[in-house]
Amino acid sequence: MAEVNVQDLPDRAVVAIGSYAAIGDSFTEGVGDPGPDGSCVGWADRLAVLLDQGRPPGEFRYANLAVRGRLLDRIVEEQVPRAVRLAPDLVTFAAGGNDILRPGTDPDEVADRFEKAVVALTAAAGTVVVATGFDTRGVPVLRHLRGRIATYNGHLRAIADRHGCPVLDLWSLRALRDQRAWSEDRLHLSSEGHARVARLAARVLGADVTPDPDQPWPLTIPVAPADVRRENIRWAKEYFVPWIGRRLRGESSGDNAEAKRPELLPL
């Protein structure tokens, strides 16, 4: 990742991380950040590259168990036991967002199930990083769920405190409030959005990473209100209506998908 520099990776806490397993849904799989071959890259892959920098070839190992569309229960059933078996030095755990988006879901109950998974992970892994949900204040439709997401985030921070887990605080990452941090579907991060999250995660782990993940975006020319409305209509037809349709049919984009990197392997 050419835009990222690690100035002080020999920090002891970072060097002690010789293996990393990422678990979660489309956010951690990397949807919205396509690689040269069309596959997903994403913040977790980018974080693995940062953690691998400066090491002898093959010393650092990485697995990405995340699958798009997964609800928390399926993540706990499929991914958490595999991460426990792998017993890596580091696990990042971002899950529950798809549950919170569904009508009638109780954030308190989702958080209880999340904490049980954290207990299992912390018993097997050296460090478990807990990721919060995004601040959706500027996201069409999802802005109405902001209160539920904030409630869930409050639980996640309390869970992290109780179990000694570092927090990847996505709610407070102001750079993600800019439209350029999001892909065309407005549901997943763009490549630059994923890159900023990777840099924030590296900082949470103690690495001195530049540039600042929260640095301001370049100024742009304001878009006319009429153009904004036309773009919103196009987005609704191409992305939002199909997304709602899948929810009503009980379908997911990842129903038949598998983890892209199920084993701890060198980069």
Side-chain angles (χ1 to χ4, degrees), residues 89-168:
D89 298 323
L90 170 67
V91 168
T92 55
F93 189 19
N98 288 325
D99 298 74
I100 299 301
L101 294 180
R102 296 188 175 233
T105 301
D106 182 355
D108 301 343
E109 195 271 333
V110 176
D112 287 342
R113 302 193 326 258
F114 187 98
E115 183 164 18
K116 292 176 182 177
V118 169
V119 171
L121 291 168
T122 53
T127 299
V128 178
V129 173
V130 171
T132 71
F134 304 106
D135 184 350
T136 58
R137 72 173 69 180
V139 183
V141 181
L142 298 186
R143 66 167 62 96
H144 302 295
L145 300 175
R146 190 170 181 240
R148 288 170 61 185
I149 296 170
T151 298
Y152 186 54
N153 282 350
H155 283 300
L156 295 181
R157 293 189 184 96
I159 291 167
D161 286 345
R162 284 195 290 271
H163 300 283
C165 300
V167 175
L168 179 59

Side-chain angles (χ1 to χ4, degrees), residues 232-254:
N232 286 341
I233 292 171
R234 184 194 68 81
W235 167 77
K237 290 180 178 178
E238 291 189 24
Y239 298 105
F240 183 64
V241 171
W243 181 73
I244 288 294
R246 290 196 299 273
R247 292 296 179 276
L248 293 176
R249 295 190 298 271
E251 298 174 357
S252 166
S253 58

Side-chain angles (χ1 to χ4, degrees), residues 29-35 37-42 45 68 260:
E29 183 186 345
V31 174
D33 183 13
D37 61 355
S39 62
C40 296
V41 182
D45 287 19
R68 66 192 68 187
K260 64 180 181 180

